[in-house]
Amino acid sequence: MHPYVVELFTEEEQSVLRRYVTNIDDPVFALVDLPEVVKGALYARYSRSAKSLRRLLLDEFAGDLANLQPGTGATTSDGEAATRAGRLYERVFSEYGDDSVAQLGGAHVAVEQASNLLTKQLEWGRLGAYLEQSTRYIAYDDRPGGRYRYYRDPDIMASEHGAAFVETLDAVFDTYATLLPRVQRWITERYPRENGTSEAVHRNAVKAKACDILRGLLPAATVSNVGVFASGQSYEQLLLRLRASEFAEARWVAARMLTELRQVIPSFLTRVDRQDRGVVWSQYLSSTRADTRAVAEALLTGVKPADAPEVALVGWSDDAEVEVVTGMLYPHSRLPEPQLREFVRGMSTTDRLRVLRAYVGQRTNRRHKPGRALERVWYRFDVCGDYGGFRDLQRHRMLTIEWQELSPRHGYDTPSEVADAGIADEWHRTLERQADLYDRLFVDLPRQAQYAVGFAYRLRWSMQLNARAAMQMLELRTTPQGHPSYRRICQQMHRLIAEEAGHTAIAAMMSHVDHGGGELERLEAERSAEARRVQRERTQ
């Protein structure tokens, strides 16, 4: 006998359902061709109804959806059907006060020409998906619309420093554009194409390395495109933060984003600009930030930073091995956790290793992830690394990260290839010019002065993450095709876990951390991509 009850529908009901669900008789199905607000309202009722989702759709939404034409559901949220669904959503939301229903409708948003300061604010939320344009694959030597690709902050442009800002950053991008072909020629000579490597693969790898070397010259004002997918609840939190930002750019994007999202998921965002809700919430974020900064300045002014390594492990879990083994055994036992922990504490090293090896298994590639027992152990690192590397590591969702303001105060990193390629003079002169502009701006516009600072300058940040998140990040960010700056940081983090924390068994689980060096970093990845393209063409 079939293990599931098959719900019966009339022919007319089946006709309606086929427009909006992927099947009409299986207990697993997807919704299609529905406005996001309809989905949200539907799920809001779903959690408090004994009916199936298909039956709810028919009984409470079919009449509202009757006017929608096939293929237009995703873009008609301002139509009558979506309006009625919105009213239903509001009623359910008001009646139950359940924020979780706003997690069930989402939207894709593109934010283009966002400065690199803004991209970090956009990507702050954990519960969202972000895709950012890469400086590795994009050469910033062109002038769309006659202007180099950097953001012109309105506060700076309205000040007496506006002309100097444009003059300096134009010169920075002039230097970048001039150096790019020189560096590519040098790389080609140093890493000539090997037999069996196509010209396209070699050319792409050379360009990626040249962009990696020169990205340190790009200022934080450099613009990027960001794709975002998130739920209504995540967008609400993002908009509250952006509206509280000290940057005019962020506040302008928040206003535009709210306008556009209200064409797709309007009911999820009704609180954002309400005086008694979103407005006061954003004011709270703004005021607490300003008050904390004032206290920090009063307490810390005159205190000079002590010398510190690039990466320092400043905190970690005690009894890590006991905690991890306890977590590994817990779901397979019937013991209370305190009793199980004491049992594990008394186990021999040999028996603990038996558990560890069984739990981790044969990890033939880095995508084989052990389970959540590793989340019981944590590490906190203090890092002072270049802003370019920070941008890549910041995007990892499963960590707690805080960073200080970008400035020239910690100096900058210079790739070894800069001297080898014969561009050291231009490199140092350009970065020093950015520092001069920063100092000039800081007097009147201390926050906006960050736009002038190049990716090569060091930023101090703190990262706290559990061992499972560390495994994912360190293995991913030490692959040979990674950028040297964040590869170096992650390699140091792995060594500190093993040597300073003494968590040798946990470090050994991270078996795909690569401690090797890199030369033409993207070469193998480009070869693999070409092989996949060739194979796909053969099978088509």
Side-chain angles (χ1 to χ4, degrees), residues 470 474-481 484 486-499 504 506-518:
L474 302 187
E475 291 186 337
L476 171 63
R477 295 303 185 179
T478 59
T479 54
Q481 63 265 35
Y486 63 66
R487 287 194 77 215
R488 183 180 67 251
I489 288 171
C490 290
Q491 288 165 347
Q492 292 181 70
M493 291 171 67
H494 186 239
R495 292 191 191 99
L496 289 168
I497 289 171
E499 297 169 9
T504 53
I506 293 174
M509 293 182 201
M510 304 175 190
S511 53
H512 294 281
V513 173
D514 190 319
H515 283 277

PDB file of all heavy atoms in Angstrom, residues 470 474-481 484 486-499 504 506-518:
ATOM      1  N   ALA A 470      35.184  26.983  10.403  1.00  0.00           N
ATOM      2  CA  ALA A 470      36.607  27.157  10.094  1.00  0.00           C
ATOM      3  C   ALA A 470      37.055  26.161   9.040  1.00  0.00           C
ATOM      4  O   ALA A 470      37.808  26.506   8.124  1.00  0.00           O
ATOM      5  CB  ALA A 470      37.440  26.997  11.363  1.00  0.00           C
ATOM      6  N   LEU A 474      38.633  27.718   5.753  1.00  0.00           N
ATOM      7  CA  LEU A 474      40.070  27.538   5.556  1.00  0.00           C
ATOM      8  C   LEU A 474      40.368  26.625   4.383  1.00  0.00           C
ATOM      9  O   LEU A 474      41.343  26.843   3.649  1.00  0.00           O
ATOM     10  CB  LEU A 474      40.707  26.998   6.837  1.00  0.00           C
ATOM     11  CG  LEU A 474      40.532  27.861   8.093  1.00  0.00           C
ATOM     12  CD1 LEU A 474      41.340  27.302   9.254  1.00  0.00           C
ATOM     13  CD2 LEU A 474      40.913  29.307   7.835  1.00  0.00           C
ATOM     14  N   GLU A 475      39.563  25.603   4.192  1.00  0.00           N
ATOM     15  CA  GLU A 475      39.792  24.724   3.048  1.00  0.00           C
ATOM     16  C   GLU A 475      39.467  25.424   1.730  1.00  0.00           C
ATOM     17  O   GLU A 475      40.180  25.262   0.739  1.00  0.00           O
ATOM     18  CB  GLU A 475      38.982  23.440   3.191  1.00  0.00           C
ATOM     19  CG  GLU A 475      39.483  22.551   4.325  1.00  0.00           C
ATOM     20  CD  GLU A 475      38.792  21.207   4.392  1.00  0.00           C
ATOM     21  OE1 GLU A 475      37.656  21.081   3.872  1.00  0.00           O
ATOM     22  OE2 GLU A 475      39.366  20.269   4.975  1.00  0.00           O
ATOM     23  N   LEU A 476      38.386  26.198   1.723  1.00  0.00           N
ATOM     24  CA  LEU A 476      38.016  26.910   0.503  1.00  0.00           C
ATOM     25  C   LEU A 476      39.032  28.004   0.174  1.00  0.00           C
ATOM     26  O   LEU A 476      39.473  28.141  -0.977  1.00  0.00           O
ATOM     27  CB  LEU A 476      36.630  27.545   0.675  1.00  0.00           C
ATOM     28  CG  LEU A 476      36.179  28.507  -0.436  1.00  0.00           C
ATOM     29  CD1 LEU A 476      36.051  27.767  -1.769  1.00  0.00           C
ATOM     30  CD2 LEU A 476      34.871  29.189  -0.068  1.00  0.00           C
ATOM     31  N   ARG A 477      39.448  28.768   1.165  1.00  0.00           N
ATOM     32  CA  ARG A 477      40.264  29.952   0.917  1.00  0.00           C
ATOM     33  C   ARG A 477      41.769  29.666   0.862  1.00  0.00           C
ATOM     34  O   ARG A 477      42.554  30.600   0.741  1.00  0.00           O
ATOM     35  CB  ARG A 477      39.980  31.006   1.986  1.00  0.00           C
ATOM     36  CG  ARG A 477      38.564  31.545   1.950  1.00  0.00           C
ATOM     37  CD  ARG A 477      38.215  32.143   0.595  1.00  0.00           C
ATOM     38  NE  ARG A 477      36.886  32.778   0.601  1.00  0.00           N
ATOM     39  CZ  ARG A 477      36.351  33.380  -0.435  1.00  0.00           C
ATOM     40  NH1 ARG A 477      37.013  33.434  -1.581  1.00  0.00           N
ATOM     41  NH2 ARG A 477      35.150  33.921  -0.363  1.00  0.00           N
ATOM     42  N   THR A 478      42.164  28.403   0.966  1.00  0.00           N
ATOM     43  CA  THR A 478      43.581  28.071   0.757  1.00  0.00           C
ATOM     44  C   THR A 478      43.797  27.267  -0.519  1.00  0.00           C
ATOM     45  O   THR A 478      44.912  26.813  -0.767  1.00  0.00           O
ATOM     46  CB  THR A 478      44.163  27.273   1.948  1.00  0.00           C
ATOM     47  OG1 THR A 478      43.409  26.061   2.125  1.00  0.00           O
ATOM     48  CG2 THR A 478      44.128  28.090   3.233  1.00  0.00           C
ATOM     49  N   THR A 479      42.756  27.093  -1.321  1.00  0.00           N
ATOM     50  CA  THR A 479      42.945  26.379  -2.582  1.00  0.00           C
ATOM     51  C   THR A 479      43.953  27.147  -3.443  1.00  0.00           C
ATOM     52  O   THR A 479      44.054  28.378  -3.356  1.00  0.00           O
ATOM     53  CB  THR A 479      41.618  26.235  -3.348  1.00  0.00           C
ATOM     54  OG1 THR A 479      41.029  27.536  -3.518  1.00  0.00           O
ATOM     55  CG2 THR A 479      40.649  25.343  -2.590  1.00  0.00           C
ATOM     56  N   PRO A 480      44.714  26.449  -4.275  1.00  0.00           N
ATOM     57  CA  PRO A 480      45.780  27.112  -5.047  1.00  0.00           C
ATOM     58  C   PRO A 480      45.296  28.272  -5.901  1.00  0.00           C
ATOM     59  O   PRO A 480      46.063  29.202  -6.174  1.00  0.00           O
ATOM     60  CB  PRO A 480      46.335  25.974  -5.919  1.00  0.00           C
ATOM     61  CG  PRO A 480      46.048  24.734  -5.141  1.00  0.00           C
ATOM     62  CD  PRO A 480      44.730  24.992  -4.466  1.00  0.00           C
ATOM     63  N   GLN A 481      44.026  28.243  -6.337  1.00  0.00           N
ATOM     64  CA  GLN A 481      43.539  29.337  -7.186  1.00  0.00           C
ATOM     65  C   GLN A 481      43.121  30.568  -6.393  1.00  0.00           C
ATOM     66  O   GLN A 481      42.717  31.576  -6.960  1.00  0.00           O
ATOM     67  CB  GLN A 481      42.371  28.872  -8.056  1.00  0.00           C
ATOM     68  CG  GLN A 481      41.131  28.430  -7.305  1.00  0.00           C
ATOM     69  CD  GLN A 481      41.095  26.937  -7.076  1.00  0.00           C
ATOM     70  OE1 GLN A 481      42.134  26.314  -6.866  1.00  0.00           O
ATOM     71  NE2 GLN A 481      39.910  26.354  -7.120  1.00  0.00           N
ATOM     72  N   PRO A 484      46.574  35.292  -3.037  1.00  0.00           N
ATOM     73  CA  PRO A 484      47.638  35.075  -2.057  1.00  0.00           C
ATOM     74  C   PRO A 484      47.390  35.728  -0.705  1.00  0.00           C
ATOM     75  O   PRO A 484      47.792  35.179   0.326  1.00  0.00           O
ATOM     76  CB  PRO A 484      48.872  35.685  -2.740  1.00  0.00           C
ATOM     77  CG  PRO A 484      48.583  35.587  -4.207  1.00  0.00           C
ATOM     78  CD  PRO A 484      47.091  35.788  -4.327  1.00  0.00           C
ATOM     79  N   TYR A 486      44.545  36.348   1.114  1.00  0.00           N
ATOM     80  CA  TYR A 486      43.698  35.609   2.056  1.00  0.00           C
ATOM     81  C   TYR A 486      44.156  34.171   2.227  1.00  0.00           C
ATOM     82  O   TYR A 486      43.890  33.547   3.259  1.00  0.00           O
ATOM     83  CB  TYR A 486      42.207  35.715   1.716  1.00  0.00           C
ATOM     84  CG  TYR A 486      41.743  35.129   0.400  1.00  0.00           C
ATOM     85  CD1 TYR A 486      41.795  33.767   0.144  1.00  0.00           C
ATOM     86  CD2 TYR A 486      41.173  35.944  -0.571  1.00  0.00           C
ATOM     87  CE1 TYR A 486      41.328  33.229  -1.046  1.00  0.00           C
ATOM     88  CE2 TYR A 486      40.698  35.428  -1.766  1.00  0.00           C
ATOM     89  CZ  TYR A 486      40.788  34.067  -1.990  1.00  0.00           C
ATOM     90  OH  TYR A 486      40.316  33.526  -3.173  1.00  0.00           O
ATOM     91  N   ARG A 487      44.866  33.622   1.238  1.00  0.00           N
ATOM     92  CA  ARG A 487      45.457  32.287   1.423  1.00  0.00           C
ATOM     93  C   ARG A 487      46.420  32.317   2.599  1.00  0.00           C
ATOM     94  O   ARG A 487      46.420  31.423   3.455  1.00  0.00           O
ATOM     95  CB  ARG A 487      46.205  31.835   0.169  1.00  0.00           C
ATOM     96  CG  ARG A 487      45.333  31.439  -1.003  1.00  0.00           C
ATOM     97  CD  ARG A 487      46.150  30.684  -2.043  1.00  0.00           C
ATOM     98  NE  ARG A 487      46.396  29.319  -1.620  1.00  0.00           N
ATOM     99  CZ  ARG A 487      47.509  28.642  -1.864  1.00  0.00           C
ATOM    100  NH1 ARG A 487      48.504  29.206  -2.516  1.00  0.00           N
ATOM    101  NH2 ARG A 487      47.633  27.396  -1.468  1.00  0.00           N
ATOM    102  N   ARG A 488      47.262  33.332   2.645  1.00  0.00           N
ATOM    103  CA  ARG A 488      48.260  33.443   3.716  1.00  0.00           C
ATOM    104  C   ARG A 488      47.585  33.554   5.081  1.00  0.00           C
ATOM    105  O   ARG A 488      47.994  32.899   6.057  1.00  0.00           O
ATOM    106  CB  ARG A 488      49.139  34.658   3.450  1.00  0.00           C
ATOM    107  CG  ARG A 488      50.263  34.834   4.459  1.00  0.00           C
ATOM    108  CD  ARG A 488      51.112  36.057   4.148  1.00  0.00           C
ATOM    109  NE  ARG A 488      50.371  37.301   4.316  1.00  0.00           N
ATOM    110  CZ  ARG A 488      49.983  38.079   3.305  1.00  0.00           C
ATOM    111  NH1 ARG A 488      50.251  37.743   2.043  1.00  0.00           N
ATOM    112  NH2 ARG A 488      49.323  39.210   3.536  1.00  0.00           N
ATOM    113  N   ILE A 489      46.547  34.362   5.176  1.00  0.00           N
ATOM    114  CA  ILE A 489      45.840  34.530   6.445  1.00  0.00           C
ATOM    115  C   ILE A 489      45.227  33.209   6.902  1.00  0.00           C
ATOM    116  O   ILE A 489      45.347  32.815   8.065  1.00  0.00           O
ATOM    117  CB  ILE A 489      44.764  35.626   6.306  1.00  0.00           C
ATOM    118  CG1 ILE A 489      45.437  36.997   6.228  1.00  0.00           C
ATOM    119  CG2 ILE A 489      43.773  35.591   7.464  1.00  0.00           C
ATOM    120  CD1 ILE A 489      44.492  38.125   5.864  1.00  0.00           C
ATOM    121  N   CYS A 490      44.582  32.512   5.994  1.00  0.00           N
ATOM    122  CA  CYS A 490      43.906  31.260   6.361  1.00  0.00           C
ATOM    123  C   CYS A 490      44.906  30.156   6.686  1.00  0.00           C
ATOM    124  O   CYS A 490      44.646  29.315   7.560  1.00  0.00           O
ATOM    125  CB  CYS A 490      42.961  30.834   5.240  1.00  0.00           C
ATOM    126  SG  CYS A 490      41.516  31.913   5.075  1.00  0.00           S
ATOM    127  N   GLN A 491      46.030  30.137   6.015  1.00  0.00           N
ATOM    128  CA  GLN A 491      47.071  29.169   6.359  1.00  0.00           C
ATOM    129  C   GLN A 491      47.572  29.417   7.781  1.00  0.00           C
ATOM    130  O   GLN A 491      47.786  28.469   8.553  1.00  0.00           O
ATOM    131  CB  GLN A 491      48.220  29.252   5.348  1.00  0.00           C
ATOM    132  CG  GLN A 491      47.868  28.684   3.980  1.00  0.00           C
ATOM    133  CD  GLN A 491      48.865  29.092   2.906  1.00  0.00           C
ATOM    134  OE1 GLN A 491      49.694  29.984   3.099  1.00  0.00           O
ATOM    135  NE2 GLN A 491      48.791  28.445   1.748  1.00  0.00           N
ATOM    136  N   GLN A 492      47.743  30.695   8.158  1.00  0.00           N
ATOM    137  CA  GLN A 492      48.166  31.007   9.525  1.00  0.00           C
ATOM    138  C   GLN A 492      47.102  30.608  10.537  1.00  0.00           C
ATOM    139  O   GLN A 492      47.425  30.105  11.632  1.00  0.00           O
ATOM    140  CB  GLN A 492      48.466  32.504   9.644  1.00  0.00           C
ATOM    141  CG  GLN A 492      49.686  32.965   8.866  1.00  0.00           C
ATOM    142  CD  GLN A 492      49.932  34.451   9.056  1.00  0.00           C
ATOM    143  OE1 GLN A 492      50.324  34.887  10.152  1.00  0.00           O
ATOM    144  NE2 GLN A 492      49.701  35.238   8.013  1.00  0.00           N
ATOM    145  N   MET A 493      45.843  30.824  10.215  1.00  0.00           N
ATOM    146  CA  MET A 493      44.766  30.439  11.129  1.00  0.00           C
ATOM    147  C   MET A 493      44.798  28.941  11.400  1.00  0.00           C
ATOM    148  O   MET A 493      44.643  28.487  12.547  1.00  0.00           O
ATOM    149  CB  MET A 493      43.411  30.844  10.528  1.00  0.00           C
ATOM    150  CG  MET A 493      43.174  32.347  10.477  1.00  0.00           C
ATOM    151  SD  MET A 493      41.699  32.817   9.527  1.00  0.00           S
ATOM    152  CE  MET A 493      40.398  32.146  10.588  1.00  0.00           C
ATOM    153  N   HIS A 494      45.039  28.162  10.348  1.00  0.00           N
ATOM    154  CA  HIS A 494      45.082  26.703  10.513  1.00  0.00           C
ATOM    155  C   HIS A 494      46.255  26.296  11.403  1.00  0.00           C
ATOM    156  O   HIS A 494      46.102  25.436  12.299  1.00  0.00           O
ATOM    157  CB  HIS A 494      45.198  26.043   9.131  1.00  0.00           C
ATOM    158  CG  HIS A 494      45.098  24.554   9.176  1.00  0.00           C
ATOM    159  ND1 HIS A 494      46.082  23.720   8.719  1.00  0.00           N
ATOM    160  CD2 HIS A 494      44.111  23.740   9.646  1.00  0.00           C
ATOM    161  CE1 HIS A 494      45.723  22.469   8.884  1.00  0.00           C
ATOM    162  NE2 HIS A 494      44.528  22.448   9.439  1.00  0.00           N
ATOM    163  N   ARG A 495      47.414  26.911  11.194  1.00  0.00           N
ATOM    164  CA  ARG A 495      48.577  26.581  12.034  1.00  0.00           C
ATOM    165  C   ARG A 495      48.316  26.942  13.493  1.00  0.00           C
ATOM    166  O   ARG A 495      48.696  26.193  14.417  1.00  0.00           O
ATOM    167  CB  ARG A 495      49.815  27.326  11.529  1.00  0.00           C
ATOM    168  CG  ARG A 495      50.326  26.874  10.165  1.00  0.00           C
ATOM    169  CD  ARG A 495      51.701  27.464   9.872  1.00  0.00           C
ATOM    170  NE  ARG A 495      52.068  27.239   8.481  1.00  0.00           N
ATOM    171  CZ  ARG A 495      51.953  28.142   7.515  1.00  0.00           C
ATOM    172  NH1 ARG A 495      51.475  29.353   7.799  1.00  0.00           N
ATOM    173  NH2 ARG A 495      52.319  27.859   6.287  1.00  0.00           N
ATOM    174  N   LEU A 496      47.675  28.080  13.731  1.00  0.00           N
ATOM    175  CA  LEU A 496      47.399  28.498  15.102  1.00  0.00           C
ATOM    176  C   LEU A 496      46.420  27.558  15.800  1.00  0.00           C
ATOM    177  O   LEU A 496      46.543  27.304  17.002  1.00  0.00           O
ATOM    178  CB  LEU A 496      46.863  29.933  15.110  1.00  0.00           C
ATOM    179  CG  LEU A 496      47.887  31.028  14.760  1.00  0.00           C
ATOM    180  CD1 LEU A 496      47.189  32.357  14.521  1.00  0.00           C
ATOM    181  CD2 LEU A 496      48.922  31.158  15.867  1.00  0.00           C
ATOM    182  N   ILE A 497      45.450  27.048  15.075  1.00  0.00           N
ATOM    183  CA  ILE A 497      44.514  26.082  15.662  1.00  0.00           C
ATOM    184  C   ILE A 497      45.272  24.848  16.133  1.00  0.00           C
ATOM    185  O   ILE A 497      45.040  24.323  17.230  1.00  0.00           O
ATOM    186  CB  ILE A 497      43.424  25.699  14.642  1.00  0.00           C
ATOM    187  CG1 ILE A 497      42.465  26.878  14.432  1.00  0.00           C
ATOM    188  CG2 ILE A 497      42.650  24.459  15.097  1.00  0.00           C
ATOM    189  CD1 ILE A 497      41.480  26.674  13.287  1.00  0.00           C
ATOM    190  N   ALA A 498      46.211  24.397  15.303  1.00  0.00           N
ATOM    191  CA  ALA A 498      46.967  23.190  15.656  1.00  0.00           C
ATOM    192  C   ALA A 498      48.008  23.466  16.733  1.00  0.00           C
ATOM    193  O   ALA A 498      48.129  22.696  17.698  1.00  0.00           O
ATOM    194  CB  ALA A 498      47.641  22.624  14.400  1.00  0.00           C
ATOM    195  N   GLU A 499      48.754  24.569  16.604  1.00  0.00           N
ATOM    196  CA  GLU A 499      49.939  24.756  17.440  1.00  0.00           C
ATOM    197  C   GLU A 499      49.673  25.590  18.693  1.00  0.00           C
ATOM    198  O   GLU A 499      50.143  25.235  19.772  1.00  0.00           O
ATOM    199  CB  GLU A 499      51.040  25.407  16.603  1.00  0.00           C
ATOM    200  CG  GLU A 499      51.490  24.525  15.426  1.00  0.00           C
ATOM    201  CD  GLU A 499      52.390  25.254  14.449  1.00  0.00           C
ATOM    202  OE1 GLU A 499      52.812  26.398  14.758  1.00  0.00           O
ATOM    203  OE2 GLU A 499      52.666  24.692  13.370  1.00  0.00           O
ATOM    204  N   THR A 504      45.228  19.653  17.731  1.00  0.00           N
ATOM    205  CA  THR A 504      45.848  18.967  16.595  1.00  0.00           C
ATOM    206  C   THR A 504      44.877  18.028  15.891  1.00  0.00           C
ATOM    207  O   THR A 504      44.908  17.905  14.664  1.00  0.00           O
ATOM    208  CB  THR A 504      47.084  18.182  17.056  1.00  0.00           C
ATOM    209  OG1 THR A 504      46.713  17.326  18.149  1.00  0.00           O
ATOM    210  CG2 THR A 504      48.184  19.126  17.519  1.00  0.00           C
ATOM    211  N   ILE A 506      41.612  18.336  15.639  1.00  0.00           N
ATOM    212  CA  ILE A 506      40.648  19.121  14.860  1.00  0.00           C
ATOM    213  C   ILE A 506      41.326  19.701  13.628  1.00  0.00           C
ATOM    214  O   ILE A 506      40.766  19.690  12.528  1.00  0.00           O
ATOM    215  CB  ILE A 506      40.034  20.221  15.733  1.00  0.00           C
ATOM    216  CG1 ILE A 506      39.162  19.586  16.818  1.00  0.00           C
ATOM    217  CG2 ILE A 506      39.222  21.200  14.892  1.00  0.00           C
ATOM    218  CD1 ILE A 506      38.617  20.558  17.835  1.00  0.00           C
ATOM    219  N   ALA A 507      42.546  20.206  13.789  1.00  0.00           N
ATOM    220  CA  ALA A 507      43.275  20.722  12.634  1.00  0.00           C
ATOM    221  C   ALA A 507      43.497  19.622  11.598  1.00  0.00           C
ATOM    222  O   ALA A 507      43.435  19.884  10.384  1.00  0.00           O
ATOM    223  CB  ALA A 507      44.612  21.311  13.079  1.00  0.00           C
ATOM    224  N   ALA A 508      43.749  18.410  12.068  1.00  0.00           N
ATOM    225  CA  ALA A 508      43.976  17.292  11.133  1.00  0.00           C
ATOM    226  C   ALA A 508      42.713  16.942  10.348  1.00  0.00           C
ATOM    227  O   ALA A 508      42.806  16.454   9.218  1.00  0.00           O
ATOM    228  CB  ALA A 508      44.480  16.075  11.900  1.00  0.00           C
ATOM    229  N   MET A 509      41.536  17.192  10.940  1.00  0.00           N
ATOM    230  CA  MET A 509      40.291  16.948  10.201  1.00  0.00           C
ATOM    231  C   MET A 509      40.197  17.851   8.971  1.00  0.00           C
ATOM    232  O   MET A 509      39.556  17.498   7.987  1.00  0.00           O
ATOM    233  CB  MET A 509      39.076  17.232  11.095  1.00  0.00           C
ATOM    234  CG  MET A 509      38.892  16.303  12.251  1.00  0.00           C
ATOM    235  SD  MET A 509      37.387  16.772  13.149  1.00  0.00           S
ATOM    236  CE  MET A 509      37.709  16.011  14.729  1.00  0.00           C
ATOM    237  N   MET A 510      40.820  19.034   9.060  1.00  0.00           N
ATOM    238  CA  MET A 510      40.782  19.992   7.948  1.00  0.00           C
ATOM    239  C   MET A 510      41.829  19.583   6.913  1.00  0.00           C
ATOM    240  O   MET A 510      42.761  20.322   6.590  1.00  0.00           O
ATOM    241  CB  MET A 510      41.033  21.404   8.472  1.00  0.00           C
ATOM    242  CG  MET A 510      40.054  21.819   9.565  1.00  0.00           C
ATOM    243  SD  MET A 510      40.460  23.450  10.263  1.00  0.00           S
ATOM    244  CE  MET A 510      39.350  23.503  11.683  1.00  0.00           C
ATOM    245  N   SER A 511      41.653  18.398   6.390  1.00  0.00           N
ATOM    246  CA  SER A 511      42.694  17.752   5.589  1.00  0.00           C
ATOM    247  C   SER A 511      42.888  18.379   4.221  1.00  0.00           C
ATOM    248  O   SER A 511      43.866  18.084   3.533  1.00  0.00           O
ATOM    249  CB  SER A 511      42.376  16.256   5.426  1.00  0.00           C
ATOM    250  OG  SER A 511      41.067  16.077   4.919  1.00  0.00           O
ATOM    251  N   HIS A 512      41.961  19.252   3.812  1.00  0.00           N
ATOM    252  CA  HIS A 512      42.080  19.874   2.488  1.00  0.00           C
ATOM    253  C   HIS A 512      42.571  21.317   2.572  1.00  0.00           C
ATOM    254  O   HIS A 512      42.512  22.038   1.575  1.00  0.00           O
ATOM    255  CB  HIS A 512      40.747  19.784   1.741  1.00  0.00           C
ATOM    256  CG  HIS A 512      40.368  18.379   1.409  1.00  0.00           C
ATOM    257  ND1 HIS A 512      40.908  17.689   0.363  1.00  0.00           N
ATOM    258  CD2 HIS A 512      39.524  17.514   2.041  1.00  0.00           C
ATOM    259  CE1 HIS A 512      40.404  16.470   0.319  1.00  0.00           C
ATOM    260  NE2 HIS A 512      39.567  16.333   1.332  1.00  0.00           N
ATOM    261  N   VAL A 513      43.073  21.731   3.735  1.00  0.00           N
ATOM    262  CA  VAL A 513      43.774  23.013   3.816  1.00  0.00           C
ATOM    263  C   VAL A 513      45.084  22.862   3.061  1.00  0.00           C
ATOM    264  O   VAL A 513      45.848  21.930   3.298  1.00  0.00           O
ATOM    265  CB  VAL A 513      44.034  23.431   5.283  1.00  0.00           C
ATOM    266  CG1 VAL A 513      44.915  24.671   5.342  1.00  0.00           C
ATOM    267  CG2 VAL A 513      42.713  23.687   6.001  1.00  0.00           C
ATOM    268  N   ASP A 514      45.353  23.785   2.156  1.00  0.00           N
ATOM    269  CA  ASP A 514      46.549  23.722   1.301  1.00  0.00           C
ATOM    270  C   ASP A 514      47.573  24.732   1.811  1.00  0.00           C
ATOM    271  O   ASP A 514      47.318  25.930   1.815  1.00  0.00           O
ATOM    272  CB  ASP A 514      46.159  24.029  -0.146  1.00  0.00           C
ATOM    273  CG  ASP A 514      47.283  23.752  -1.133  1.00  0.00           C
ATOM    274  OD1 ASP A 514      48.438  24.074  -0.798  1.00  0.00           O
ATOM    275  OD2 ASP A 514      47.008  23.249  -2.236  1.00  0.00           O
ATOM    276  N   HIS A 515      48.744  24.233   2.224  1.00  0.00           N
ATOM    277  CA  HIS A 515      49.795  25.112   2.724  1.00  0.00           C
ATOM    278  C   HIS A 515      50.866  25.395   1.677  1.00  0.00           C
ATOM    279  O   HIS A 515      51.922  25.941   2.000  1.00  0.00           O
ATOM    280  CB  HIS A 515      50.436  24.515   3.981  1.00  0.00           C
ATOM    281  CG  HIS A 515      49.598  24.683   5.211  1.00  0.00           C
ATOM    282  ND1 HIS A 515      49.593  25.830   5.966  1.00  0.00           N
ATOM    283  CD2 HIS A 515      48.691  23.854   5.801  1.00  0.00           C
ATOM    284  CE1 HIS A 515      48.752  25.706   6.982  1.00  0.00           C
ATOM    285  NE2 HIS A 515      48.178  24.507   6.905  1.00  0.00           N
ATOM    286  N   GLY A 516      50.598  25.039   0.442  1.00  0.00           N
ATOM    287  CA  GLY A 516      51.556  25.298  -0.617  1.00  0.00           C
ATOM    288  C   GLY A 516      51.507  26.742  -1.079  1.00  0.00           C
ATOM    289  O   GLY A 516      50.668  27.531  -0.658  1.00  0.00           O
ATOM    290  N   GLY A 517      52.422  27.083  -1.955  1.00  0.00           N
ATOM    291  CA  GLY A 517      52.441  28.412  -2.535  1.00  0.00           C
ATOM    292  C   GLY A 517      51.630  28.440  -3.817  1.00  0.00           C
ATOM    293  O   GLY A 517      51.018  27.455  -4.214  1.00  0.00           O
ATOM    294  N   GLY A 518      51.606  29.575  -4.467  1.00  0.00           N
ATOM    295  CA  GLY A 518      50.885  29.713  -5.727  1.00  0.00           C
ATOM    296  C   GLY A 518      51.690  30.539  -6.698  1.00  0.00           C
ATOM    297  O   GLY A 518      52.399  31.462  -6.298  1.00  0.00           O
TER     298      GLY A 518
END
